[in-house]
Amino acid sequence: QKEVEQDPGPLSVPEGAIVSLNCTYSNSAFQYFMWYRQYSRKGPELLMYTYSSGNKEDGRFTAQVDKSSKYISLFIRDSQPSDSATYLCAMSLMDSSYKLIFGSGTRLLVRP
Amino acid sequence: SQTIHQWPATLVQPVGSPLSLECTVEGTSNPNLYWYRQAAGRGLQLLFYSVGIGQISSEVPQNLSASRPQDRQFILSSKKLLLSDSGFYLCAWKSSGNTIYFGEGSWLTVV
């Protein structure tokens, strides 16, 4: 079993839709959760990060963490064609290494 | 502001040839540094990380090695490349705020 599971998609939605991207994890010791966006042939770009359970909002993006269920989500409101990319969840133990364990990524396509 | 530079951006190397990918970070001191590899359509796999000069931790036994000769320089090397070493190699650094940022990556094709 992978430490972090993420549906690879692709997920295709019309412009303006609300998008929900999800990851589950098995290690309850993970303390730090991040979402990255990656365009084709580019390095990942950090979108959101959070330490705690609950919601964190930044513009059209909301990150949600449920540590009791070991489940994290990223919501994108009013999705745009420019949001078309691969979205990667990542998490860390917050030890001295802060090394991130990644999901496999979900490919999102927002249709005009 | 902090920036990360990674080069070369693209390279095609024959099997059995050596490899050197370089990464430097500007605008910070003593950052944690990381090398990840991403196979086509896959997530990121951590290869090496370093918490300081000369300190290298290997996550995956393989044909690669890493070195950190200076505080903000991280190098990924191989003496003899294998076909399976092809992929997208990403360098990353950890900020004081515990966020991790990636470079633009190096595309390696071993032929």
Side-chain angles (χ1 to χ4, degrees):
Chain A
Q1 182 189 9
K2 291 182 181 179
E3 282 192 284
V4 181
E5 298 275 2
Q6 186 175 8
D7 187 332
L11 179 62
S12 180
V13 302
E15 183 176 354
I18 296 175
V19 175
S20 172
L21 303 166
N22 310 296
C23 288
T24 59
Y25 60 96
S26 57
N27 189 346
S28 59
F30 284 137
Q31 295 291 326
Y32 192 40
F33 305 91
M34 299 191 194
W35 284 94
Y36 288 84
R37 177 175 63 195
Q38 186 177 26
Y39 292 112
S40 180
R41 301 184 67 86
K42 297 290 187 182
E45 171 193 8
L46 180 63
L47 281 178
M48 301 281 289
Y49 62 95
T50 182
Y51 295 95
S52 56
S53 283
N55 293 352
K56 180 179 181 180
E57 188 174 321
D58 184 2
R60 296 186 296 113
F61 298 92
T62 299
Q64 187 176 80
V65 174
D66 183 346
K67 289 186 178 180
S68 62
S69 301
K70 296 199 279 287
Y71 188 89
I72 68 171
S73 299
L74 178 71
F75 298 96
I76 307 175
R77 291 182 297 280
D78 187 25
S79 56
Q80 303 295 309
S82 59
D83 294 327
S84 298
T86 296
Y87 289 80
L88 298 156
C89 65
M91 42 203 79
S92 170
L93 296 174
M94 288 185 70
D95 56 10
S96 61
S97 72
Y98 281 90
K99 55 187 179 183
L100 292 177
I101 307 301
F102 280 84
S104 57
T106 299
R107 193 155 60 91
L108 171 66
L109 174 63
V110 181
R111 308 185 305 271
Chain B
S1 64
Q2 299 92 346
T3 56
I4 180 169
H5 301 283
Q6 190 178 338
W7 69 93
T10 305
L11 64 166
V12 179
Q13 295 285 98
V15 169
S17 64
L19 171 73
S20 180
L21 301 178
E22 190 164 339
C23 171
T24 59
V25 181
E26 296 178 358
T28 186
S29 61
N30 197 32
N32 280 16
L33 296 173
Y34 309 86
W35 278 111
Y36 282 85
R37 177 170 60 196
Q38 186 174 34
R42 306 283 296 277
L44 277 67
Q45 179 187 37
L46 179 62
L47 301 176
F48 301 94
Y49 69 91
S50 171
V51 300
I53 296 175
Q55 300 178 63
I56 307 296
S57 296
S58 174
E59 290 292 300
V60 181
Q62 61 211 320
N63 187 40
L64 302 169
S65 62
S67 62
R68 186 170 177 174
Q70 300 181 42
D71 181 42
R72 291 170 289 166
Q73 184 184 29
F74 206 21
I75 298 172
L76 183 70
S77 304
S78 174
K79 291 182 179 178
K80 288 186 178 181
L81 284 169
L82 306 172
L83 286 174
S84 58
D85 292 323
S86 294
F88 190 36
Y89 289 83
L90 289 152
C91 181
W93 67 282
K94 185 184 77 69
S95 74
S96 57
N98 298 330
T99 46
I100 293 177
Y101 299 94
F102 286 84
E104 284 300 304
S106 298
W107 285 94
L108 170 65
T109 303
V110 182
V111 296

